[in-house]
Amino acid sequence: MVGALSGIRVLDLGRFVAAPFCAMLLADLGADVIRIERPGGNEDRFMGFNMPVGYSYIFANLNRNKRAITLNFEKSEKGKQMLFDLVKHSDVVVHNFSPEAAKAMGVTYENFKAVKPDIVYAQVSAFGNIGPYKNRIGFDQIIKAMSGAMWISGFPGAPTKEQTPHVDYMTACLTTIGIVSALYHREKTGQGQVVDTSLLQTGVMMTAPFISEWELGKKLRPQVGNRSQFYGPCDLYPTKDGRWVWVAVITNSIWRRFCKYIGREDLLKDKRFKEDFDRWEYRDILDPLVANWVASQTAEEVIAASEKIPIPAGICYKQSEVANDPQVKATGVLSLVSSPDGSGNVNVTSPPLKMSVTPTKIYRSFPAVGQHNEEVFGKMLGYTNEQLSKSKEEGVI
């Protein structure tokens, strides 16, 4: 079997998260993805905790299934021409440079279209390609601040940032959808096009309901810690064995099941607690009820009871516990891949898309710096060993 995107070649000029994760999803789907870095490797290889091989664990989780080459197209005219040669042999280009930086380096749709008229050109930026902020650089955490997300997160007081870069990852997913759609359009019409996404658009997309509540209704959502907003009881509760469990007694049917299970049918007759929003309004009365129920049991006992009732619940794991969860193991959401130098195996995310006819899989570990230079420049583009040696001496590759 071959992947759904088998035969599609993608040039990954991305850095950090959004563009590299997008390109990795395309690789999972069977595309031949070539990561292009500066000679010596890009900075995102080395940021964070490093493995024995010297690359970060973040890098390992964003770049498996790719080939990697080095090319100085930013400051070398020869390198730029070699990049154009690569574009001629490719279907998609993905990058997350700022519009100003992309223009300065010649990494533009107009330039690439001139050498490959049907190229699909995906550009990810922080703020988009128009407007007063278009040339600003930015990261996930800046968008979390500017989208309003931080002021509705955390406990009452200072705004709070969630540590996982969900704006980056969601932007990557949206970009992937755009690329696949553009390829489908190209298949029908022969036309390439620009796929344009931004972190700001993604961040505001996720806070749009909160923004609407203020713009039309002048309603501000409060910071409620680990509670859910507008639903209750729903919180993270401590257990008697010193762990924490998330329990969500939301929707009327779940509320009824829970009350019957704990022998508190009288609560079902109380008009104050009739609907979800009512129960949220009276959370200071009902939350202690659930908290006491959870506190009387171990975490595993709470989960067993929750399955029996049933109600939604889950143990709040430390990062050291996640890989050992039986469901995580059963569904294979994590995979082991070997380091390029054989220095050990690394846990990475498995392909998140599962497909029945064209299955996704890990067929290549994350690459070393320039690991596929000879394979790509030599075998694919036809450069001789002498040409490659000279390019290396000149700092082009």
Side-chain angles (χ1 to χ4, degrees):
M1 296 183 185
V2 295
L5 294 183
S6 179
I8 296 296
R9 178 168 293 130
V10 178
L11 299 183
D12 174 15
L13 307 182
R15 308 288 191 268
F16 300 104
V17 179
F21 186 68
C22 165
M24 191 177 75
L25 291 176
L26 298 172
D28 290 346
L29 290 166
D32 174 23
V33 175
I34 301 172
R35 174 181 164 93
I36 303 177
E37 304 175 76
R38 301 185 186 100
N42 288 341
E43 60 268 41
D44 61 339
R45 272 187 181 266
F46 312 106
M47 294 185 71
F49 295 122
N50 284 350
M51 301 172 279
V53 72
Y55 309 146
S56 77
Y57 292 95
I58 300 172
F59 175 84
N61 274 276
L62 295 173
N63 291 284
R64 48 147 181 80
N65 277 348
K66 300 179 185 180
R67 296 194 284 175
I69 62 173
T70 51
L71 182 62
N72 181 9
F73 62 84
E74 299 176 32
K75 298 179 180 179
S76 163
E77 284 302 314
K78 181 177 180 180
K80 194 168 297 182
Q81 289 305 312
M82 293 173 74
L83 176 63
F84 291 157
D85 285 344
L86 286 165
V87 172
K88 291 176 186 177
H89 290 79
S90 301
D91 302 284
V92 179
V93 176
V94 185
H95 77 77
N96 56 344
F97 301 119
S98 70
E100 188 175 42
K103 185 176 180 180
M105 292 184 288
V107 182
T108 65
Y109 177 60
E110 290 73 21
N111 286 345
F112 289 170
K113 184 180 179 182
V115 298
K116 185 71 187 301
D118 64 349
I119 195 74
V120 172
Y121 176 90
Q123 54 188 10
V124 182
S125 61
F127 297 100
N129 284 276
I130 59 173
Y133 303 162
K134 67 179 183 180
N135 290 320
R136 288 187 186 181
I137 57 175
F139 294 107
D140 172 282
Q141 55 267 40
I142 294 170
I143 303 305
K144 285 174 179 169
M146 293 180 63
S147 67
M150 290 174 61
W151 270 114
I152 61 166
S153 302
F155 291 86
T160 301
K161 178 180 77 71
E162 183 196 356
Q163 293 301 321
T164 54
H166 61 257
V167 175
D168 275 334
Y169 281 102
M170 178 60 78
T171 304
C173 293
L174 293 171
T175 308
T176 304
I177 293 171
I179 290 170
V180 172
S181 300
L183 289 171
Y184 179 69
H185 176 78
R186 190 184 73 166
E187 181 70 19
K188 294 189 295 180
T189 66
Q191 294 178 313
Q193 63 181 297
V194 176
V195 176
D196 186 10
T197 56
S198 73
L199 301 185
L200 181 64
Q201 176 72 65
T202 301
V204 173
M205 175 190 74
M206 291 190 286
T207 58
F210 319 143
I211 297 168
S212 298
E213 289 161 3
W214 170 253
E215 292 296 328
L216 182 61
K218 301 305 176 188
K219 301 289 186 181
L220 287 175
R221 292 203 182 190
Q223 293 171 293
V224 292
N226 291 317
R227 288 169 164 165
S228 288
Q229 293 172 324
F230 310 143
Y231 303 99
C234 192
D235 204 346
L236 192 64
Y237 304 97
T239 62
K240 75 174 185 180
D241 58 345
R243 304 181 76 184
W244 293 82
V245 174
W246 180 274
V247 176
V249 188
I250 61 175
T251 77
N252 292 337
S253 59
I254 290 174
W255 169 245
R256 286 193 296 269
R257 291 200 298 267
F258 177 74
C259 289
K260 290 177 181 177
Y261 183 82
I262 66 170
R264 290 299 306 272
E265 287 92 341
D266 59 298
L267 296 173
L268 300 176
K269 300 173 185 178
D270 194 321
K271 293 181 179 180
R272 293 178 300 172
F273 313 140
K274 186 178 180 181
E275 302 293 341
D276 275 311
F277 189 77
D278 299 325
R279 294 189 288 274
W280 184 79
E281 290 269 82
Y282 288 101
R283 57 192 178 277
D284 291 336
I285 295 175
L286 297 180
D287 260 353
L289 181 76
V290 181
N292 290 336
W293 178 74
V294 172
S296 68
Q297 305 168 82
T298 66
E300 296 296 344
E301 288 170 343
V302 173
I303 297 303
S306 298
E307 290 179 348
K308 184 177 179 180
I309 298 173
I311 59 174
I315 296 173
C316 182
Y317 286 137
K318 298 175 183 177
Q319 68 186 73
S320 57
E321 300 174 299
V322 177
N324 293 317
D325 178 82
Q327 186 67 15
V328 169
K329 289 182 177 180
T331 53
V333 297
L334 292 172
S335 295
L336 281 175
V337 298
S338 58
S339 296
D341 65 351
S343 60
N345 294 326
V346 184
N347 263 315
V348 298
T349 176
S350 300
L353 287 165
K354 298 189 187 305
M355 303 179 70
S356 62
V357 177
T358 54
T360 55
K361 63 179 181 178
I362 295 178
Y363 50 87
R364 182 181 288 124
S365 182
F366 55 93
V369 176
Q371 181 177 336
H372 302 97
N373 276 357
E374 184 177 341
E375 188 176 296
V376 172
F377 290 122
K379 294 180 181 179
M380 193 177 95
L381 298 185
Y383 286 81
T384 65
N385 288 335
E386 183 180 353
Q387 287 175 311
L388 294 180
S389 295
K390 186 175 181 182
S391 294
K392 188 171 183 179
E393 290 173 5
E394 295 171 342
V396 178
I397 64 173

